[in-house]
Amino acid sequence: MEKLKDLSLIVTQAARGELVFPTSVNAALRLQLALADPDCETDDVIRKVLAEPLLAARTVALANTAVFNRGGTPVTSVRAAVARVGYRNLYSMAAAMVVRQFGSRIRDAALRAQAEQLWRHTAHVAALAHVIARKLTATDPDTALFAGIVHEAGGFYLLSRADEIPGLLDGAGEWLGAAQEILSREMMKKLAIPEPVSLAIVSLRGATLTPPPLGLRDTLLIAKHLAPVASPLACGADSPSLAGFIDDNAALQQMLAESAEEAASMSAALLV
């Protein structure tokens, strides 16, 4: 009963917009705010990235990952990195840094292990979504990549709060999924996630697939089903069947191979 009261308090605070963010994410949030401004100039973006050494390092690292460095030519400056990845993907990286910071501040060993597993799941889902969007669902790949990165933001937030309330997630039941849905919705608002992306993410819980696969939600559902690392916070029914969606095994194996390389390089570049 006490656990349910604690969880209810966390959810109520979130619904009021009272999310507790670590101070270490401020630089990434400032960058997101600048990138969301249609009149934002490149020099201003570069100044904000350079003002935070971690942001600068991760921006260059992201530009040199397999996702963005198809030609194998590395970049060595923030300006060149920003030009290569573009504002939309830089926005994705800033969001990823925010998400990762919630996991990195967890002290409890078991919860920290869950946060690391959740990040690996996130990296694989993002990489798979990027590939699936290109080859299967007629969805913008960069949007799919971004959605994959932030789709478990509510889960990371819940794990960080569980670190403050021992036993909060012990014996979690159906209420866990409902709590994650509410927390995800509020995290989407806090991170200023565009509405089409936030709607696709919030609608994942309990969603089913109906052929043909189209749009961002289906892209994420398929990516989550195929991800080789499961979310430690997964609950409810098994993932929906992909029968009728990917019947060509050779095509499936190619997608898995491509996404594995992207996930590995993305995870290393965004590790914070």
Side-chain angles (χ1 to χ4, degrees), residues 7 10-11 22 36 42 74-75 110 132 141 149 153 188 212 221 237 251 258 266:
L7 184 70
I10 291 171
V11 170
T42 300
V75 298
I132 291 165
I149 286 174
M188 297 300 102
L221 282 173
E258 286 185 30
M266 185 188 311

Side-chain angles (χ1 to χ4, degrees), residues 71-201:
T73 303
V75 298
T76 57
S77 71
V78 167
R79 183 174 294 275
V82 169
R84 175 176 285 181
V85 304
Y87 282 7
R88 292 176 67 191
N89 292 307
L90 190 59
Y91 189 97
S92 296
M93 185 208 68
M97 288 185 64
V98 171
V99 169
R100 282 287 290 164
Q101 283 290 349
F102 282 104
S104 66
R105 67 174 184 162
I106 292 174
R107 297 162 296 180
D108 180 86
L111 290 172
R112 192 177 182 90
Q114 288 188 65
E116 289 302 315
Q117 180 180 339
L118 189 58
W119 172 250
R120 293 195 302 274
H121 171 75
T122 295
H124 280 290
V125 169
L128 277 160
H130 192 252
V131 176
I132 291 165
R134 292 200 315 265
K135 299 193 173 187
L136 191 65
T137 58
T139 302
D140 177 63
D142 290 340
T143 299
L145 178 72
F146 174 57
I149 286 174
V150 299
H151 86 282
E152 286 284 6
F156 280 102
Y157 182 81
L158 184 58
L159 286 173
S160 72
R161 295 305 306 273
D163 191 50
E164 304 165 5
I165 306 172
L168 178 68
L169 301 181
D170 292 348
E174 178 58 28
W175 55 263
L176 179 60
Q180 285 182 264
E181 183 177 336
I182 295 170
L183 291 174
S184 290
R185 184 180 297 113
E186 297 308 316
M187 285 288 284
M188 297 300 102
K189 294 178 184 177
K190 183 73 172 181
L191 295 175
I193 303 301
E195 186 176 9
V197 176
S198 63
L199 287 176
I201 291 171

